[in-house]
């Protein structure tokens, strides 16, 4: 059973994660139960926010405790997050980056992790080794495979011993933005046993014990490919940007009626199509030669568990897209230009998708309804906004400071500091508010946290109403000839996107069939199923932003 301190911190992390993000979880059925040695291996895009979201996503009845790993510099700090991380029984890992790229010794930490596995625990390791603000998953390091190899070797005489490598794909739509959406997807586990002889350490002529480098690399490659294929892994931000534009042109009317997981899979297909086209011309010959060489020597070392039946399963081959009839380079250019045009007007794509555009009286009526609704929301949430304001002010200032630093080395820490500030200030705010309402403490002691929690939803709806009012106002002021011009451009590009989607990517001609009535459970009043947003990109701000700068 997990220690009391661990349970408290895990509960705190769950509250913080669900307050900051709208989280959807897929693949809970793949999480091995307590007692099964498990290595949880997610991608690492958002610093300490990643383990927070993972702990919030994993139910206690699935895994009572997940032993985290973190850079050892947290053991030299006294801030709130460092204390909380250490209280979770986290194992420190030395990174060469923190020691001027000198050789480091992690043998003691690896021994703790191996002992935890032998006891049937679940440990969490990030194979990328470092978090960074980037559009692409970083190459995996072999640490996870090496620990699995050592553990299997030490238990090779135990017939029923096995290790589950549970990969998890974390997808943040806007990783640093308040009330953005997050997908936590657990993939089918890779089950390793001592029967995988290639992974066991063997004695060498020099008296040392070593693992097959080929087996380690193959296992690491399988993990990396599994995670990449289930994230919005993109060569650069521009391809991801235009992939979102293509998805909206193909299935923008679906909005959030599809699950976040389906939204990610759909966008990923367009990312692959647009990215592969740029790579095929320069790398086709070289890639084909390398693939043939790799396939000749590849050993099958991985078994997956599917409906409790073991079967051999090679990693899925990369999708080959011929792009017949569609010039992807021209389409990419047109998608970028079209999105630039939308950004210049400050109007979303779906405003131009109507067969018959809204008349000016209809636009004015819709604007008035949203203004009235925004006024109501502003009124009922005003007290809660006042209570939240110290946190909002502090996190905005911290974000301003971080954004003055280099992007890839620091932007991944924005959310971490926002959560840290919220964790530090929330209790003083509560105590102060209760003290100021002391005569009514029996009521305010529970009313204040309820009001602050509901204010999150009301404020989100408030921004959505104001954002919609601004967009409709811009549409109202847009001359008819310009509206018709944008619409004609849209129809021309949409036809090409539809051709790409149906004839080459293999998507259905009618996107409505992608809607799945069976969806992951939401957060009740906060559930996306009760929101019906136009897009998962609608975070807490007054205008739409399509770029990632």
């Amino acid at each position: 059973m997990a220690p009391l301190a661990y349970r408290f911190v895990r509960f705190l992390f769950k509250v913080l994660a669900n307050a900051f993000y709208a989280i959807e979880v897929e693949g809970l059925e793949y999480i091995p139960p307590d007692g099964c040695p498990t290595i949880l291996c997610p991608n690492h895009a958002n610093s300490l926010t990643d383990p927070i979201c993972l702990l919030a996503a994993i139910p206690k009845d699935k895994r009572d405790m997940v032993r985290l790993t973190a850079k050892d510099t947290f053991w030299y700090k006294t801030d709130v997050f460092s204390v909380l991380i250490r209280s979770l029984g986290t194992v420190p890992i030395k990174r060469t980056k923190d020691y001027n790229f000198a050789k480091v010794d992690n043998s003691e930490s690896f021994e703790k992790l191996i002992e935890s596995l032998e006891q049937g625990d679940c440990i969490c390791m990030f194979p990328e080794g470092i978090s960074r603000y980037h559009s692409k998953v970083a190459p995996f390091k072999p640490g996870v495979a090496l620990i699995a190899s050592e553990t299997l070797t030490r238990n090779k005489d135990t017939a029923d011993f096995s290790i589950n490598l549970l990969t998890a794909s974390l997808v943040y739509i806007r990783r640093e933005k308040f009330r953005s959406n997050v997908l936590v997807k657990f993939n089918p586990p890779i089950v390793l046993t001592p029967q995988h002889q290639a992974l066991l350490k063997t004695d060498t002529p020099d008296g040392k014990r070593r693992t097959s480098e080929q087996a380690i690399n193959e296992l690491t490659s399988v993990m990396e490919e599994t995670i990449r294929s289930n994230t919005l892994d993109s060569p650069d931000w521009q391809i991801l940007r235009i992939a979102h534009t293509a998805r909206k042109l193909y299935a923008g009317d679906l909005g959030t009626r599809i699950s976040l997981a389906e939204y990610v899979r759909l966008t990923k297909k367009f990312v692959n199509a647009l990215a592969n086209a740029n790579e095929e011309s320069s790398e086709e010959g070289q890639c084909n030669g390398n693939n043939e060489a790799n396939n000749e020597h590849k050993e099958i070392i991985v078994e997956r568990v599917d409906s409790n039946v073991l079967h051999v399963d090679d990693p899925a081959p990369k999708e080959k897209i011929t792009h017949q009839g569609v010039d992807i380079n021209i389409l990419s250019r047109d998608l970028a230009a079209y999105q630039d045009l939308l950004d210049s007007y400050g109007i979303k794509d779906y405003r131009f998708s109507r067969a018959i555009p809204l008349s000016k009286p209809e636009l004015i009526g819709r604007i008035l309804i949203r203004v009235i609704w925004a006024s109501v929301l502003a009124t009922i949430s005003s007290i809660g906004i006042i209570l939240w304001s110290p946190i909002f002010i502090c996190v905005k200032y911290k974000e301003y400071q971080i954004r003055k630093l280099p992007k890839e080395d620091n932007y991944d820490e924005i959310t971490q500091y926002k959560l840290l500030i919220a964790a530090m200030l929330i209790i003083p705010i509560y105590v102060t508010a209760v003290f100021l309402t002391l005569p009514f403490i029996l009521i305010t002691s529970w009313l204040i946290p309820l009001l602050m929690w509901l204010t999150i939803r009301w404020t989100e709806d408030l921004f959505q109403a104001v954002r919609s009012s601004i967009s409709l106002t811009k549409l109202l002021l847009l001359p008819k000839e310009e509206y018709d011009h944008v619409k004609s451009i849209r129809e021309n590009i949409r036809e090409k996107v539809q051709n790409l989607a149906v004839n080459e990517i293999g998507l259905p001609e009618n996107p409505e069939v992608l809607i799945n009535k069976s969806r992951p459970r939401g957060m009740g009043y906060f559930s996306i199923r009760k929101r019906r947003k136009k897009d998962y990109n609608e975070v807490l701000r007054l205008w739409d932003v399509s770029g990632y700068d």
Side-chain angles (χ1 to χ4, degrees):
M1 181 176 292
L4 184 61
Y6 179 93
R7 292 177 179 273
F8 170 76
V9 175
R10 185 173 183 170
F11 172 76
L12 178 62
F13 280 176
K14 186 170 185 177
V15 172
L16 289 174
N18 284 301
F20 195 95
Y21 289 120
I23 302 176
E24 182 175 304
V25 186
E26 186 178 69
L28 287 176
E29 68 275 13
Y30 295 128
I31 301 177
D34 282 320
C36 296
T38 302
I39 306 179
L40 175 60
C41 310
N43 55 303
H44 203 8
N46 210 3
S47 194
L48 281 180
T49 310
D50 292 336
I52 290 175
C53 287
L54 285 168
L55 290 182
I58 300 175
K60 290 190 297 183
D61 60 346
K62 286 286 187 178
R63 298 299 306 206
D64 187 47
M65 183 173 179
V66 177
R67 188 174 296 279
L68 302 175
T69 56
K71 57 184 179 182
D72 72 326
T73 54
F74 287 117
W75 274 254
Y76 308 121
K77 299 178 181 179
T78 57
D79 59 80
V80 175
F81 252 25
S82 297
V83 173
L84 292 176
I85 288 295
R86 295 198 296 268
S87 67
L88 289 170
T90 306
V91 177
I93 301 293
K94 294 179 181 178
R95 306 184 307 175
T96 57
K97 175 184 176 182
D98 301 320
Y99 292 87
N100 295 321
F101 296 97
K103 187 176 181 180
V104 295
D105 182 13
N106 280 307
S107 57
E108 184 177 345
S109 297
F110 282 7
E111 180 65 24
K112 290 181 180 179
L113 294 173
I114 293 171
E115 290 176 357
S116 293
L117 287 173
E118 292 175 331
Q119 295 168 8
D121 292 344
C122 176
I123 65 174
C124 178
M125 300 186 68
F126 295 93
E128 290 175 86
I130 189 172
S131 171
R132 59 179 188 156
Y133 191 89
H134 203 276
S135 64
K136 192 174 183 63
V137 174
F140 278 19
K141 301 181 184 302
V144 172
L146 289 171
I147 286 180
S149 170
E150 177 65 29
T151 309
L152 289 173
T153 303
R154 285 170 47 161
N155 294 271
K156 64 181 179 180
D157 296 327
T158 305
D160 59 348
F161 185 82
S162 64
I163 300 175
N164 293 272
L165 293 189
L166 178 65
T167 58
S169 303
L170 302 177
V171 182
Y172 298 87
I173 303 305
R174 292 286 176 177
R175 70 184 84 182
E176 78 281 13
K177 292 299 182 182
F178 189 64
R179 297 308 296 161
S180 180
N181 295 93
V182 181
L183 173 65
V184 181
K185 185 181 188 304
F186 297 101
N187 305 304
I190 302 169
V191 182
L192 304 173
T193 71
Q195 295 179 357
H196 295 106
Q197 296 292 323
L199 284 174
L200 300 182
K201 288 190 170 183
T202 56
D203 295 327
T204 57
D206 58 3
K208 296 181 180 180
R209 305 189 74 191
R210 294 180 181 170
T211 308
S212 165
E213 183 178 348
Q214 178 183 335
I216 294 297
N217 291 339
E218 287 172 1
L219 181 56
T220 303
S221 176
V222 169
M223 294 163 50
E224 181 177 341
E225 181 60 31
T226 301
I227 290 178
R228 282 185 187 276
S229 63
N230 290 285
T231 64
L232 292 178
D233 185 66
S234 173
D236 56 59
W237 292 117
Q238 177 65 1
I239 288 179
L240 182 58
R241 177 177 182 251
I242 62 176
H244 277 296
T245 306
R247 172 191 50 75
K248 286 182 284 189
L249 288 167
Y250 166 71
D253 291 340
L254 297 181
T256 55
R257 289 183 293 150
I258 58 174
S259 67
L260 180 59
E262 190 59 49
Y263 170 94
V264 170
R265 282 190 285 268
L266 185 57
T267 308
K268 176 66 173 176
K269 289 181 180 294
F270 284 105
V271 169
N272 290 343
L274 296 169
N276 290 346
N278 293 332
E279 296 173 357
E280 284 176 359
S281 58
S282 60
E283 299 182 2
E284 184 173 1
Q286 179 180 354
C287 287
N288 286 341
N290 290 341
N291 287 341
E292 290 174 5
N294 289 340
N295 288 334
E296 274 184 28
H297 302 288
K298 187 164 186 178
E299 298 179 61
I300 299 176
I301 62 169
V302 175
E303 292 177 335
R304 296 184 184 274
V305 176
D306 184 15
S307 301
N308 297 320
V309 178
L310 288 174
H311 65 278
V312 175
D313 183 20
D314 276 327
K318 289 187 177 180
E319 183 178 10
K320 175 68 176 177
I321 300 177
T322 60
H323 309 296
Q324 294 177 358
V326 178
D327 190 320
I328 301 298
N329 291 326
I330 293 178
L331 179 59
S332 298
R333 182 201 64 193
D334 291 346
L335 286 168
Y338 175 63
Q339 187 60 60
D340 289 341
L341 184 63
L342 294 177
D343 290 346
S344 68
Y345 285 122
I347 302 174
K348 284 190 173 185
D349 169 73
Y350 73 87
R351 301 290 186 190
F352 297 96
S353 64
R354 298 178 63 91
I356 301 177
L358 294 172
S359 64
K360 290 189 180 298
E362 288 176 316
L363 286 171
I364 293 172
R366 295 192 177 204
I367 293 171
L368 289 176
I369 291 174
R370 284 161 175 75
V371 169
I372 294 172
W373 178 229
S375 301
V376 172
L377 290 169
T379 301
I380 63 176
S381 60
S382 57
I383 298 177
I385 291 176
I386 293 173
L387 293 172
W388 280 105
S389 59
I391 294 176
F392 289 158
I393 293 171
C394 290
V395 299
K396 201 63 183 175
Y397 177 70
K398 184 63 179 180
E399 181 177 0
Y400 169 75
Q401 288 183 314
I402 294 176
R403 288 190 179 278
K404 293 192 296 183
L405 301 172
K407 179 189 297 185
E408 289 190 13
D409 293 336
N410 298 280
Y411 277 23
D412 62 304
E413 296 185 348
I414 291 177
T415 310
Q416 166 189 313
Y417 282 105
K418 288 183 175 182
L419 291 173
L420 173 61
I421 291 169
M424 292 175 60
L425 294 183
I426 193 69
I427 294 179
I429 290 173
Y430 172 74
V431 172
T432 302
V434 171
F435 177 77
L436 293 176
T437 58
L438 199 57
F440 310 99
I441 188 172
L442 294 178
I443 299 176
T444 57
S445 59
W446 60 268
L447 183 60
I448 288 173
L450 177 63
L451 177 62
M452 294 183 71
W453 186 248
L454 291 176
T455 298
I456 294 174
R457 166 68 187 268
W458 294 338
T459 305
E460 195 175 3
D461 287 345
L462 170 61
F463 273 71
Q464 187 176 359
V466 174
R467 181 172 58 244
S468 182
S469 299
I470 294 173
S471 179
L472 287 170
T473 301
K474 291 179 177 179
L475 193 62
L476 176 67
L477 300 176
L478 188 68
K480 184 179 184 304
E481 58 272 16
E482 292 189 36
Y483 178 93
D484 293 339
H485 175 64
V486 175
K487 188 172 177 62
S488 65
I489 294 175
R490 180 187 188 277
E491 288 305 309
N492 179 267
I493 300 176
R494 193 196 67 80
E495 184 177 343
K496 297 177 182 177
V497 170
Q498 183 76 5
N499 183 13
L500 174 68
V502 175
N503 298 326
E504 302 189 29
I505 299 180
L507 291 170
E509 188 171 350
N510 181 8
E512 293 284 334
V513 303
L514 298 174
I515 299 175
N516 187 353
K517 294 182 179 179
S518 175
R519 296 185 57 180
R521 291 191 308 172
M523 295 172 54
Y525 182 63
F526 288 80
S527 173
I528 196 68
R529 286 174 291 178
K530 298 182 180 180
R531 306 298 300 280
R532 293 302 174 94
K533 292 182 179 181
K534 291 293 185 181
D535 194 75
Y536 281 103
N537 187 33
E538 294 182 358
V539 295
L540 196 67
R541 58 184 165 200
L542 296 178
W543 54 88
D544 177 59
V545 177
S546 65
Y548 292 86
D549 296 333

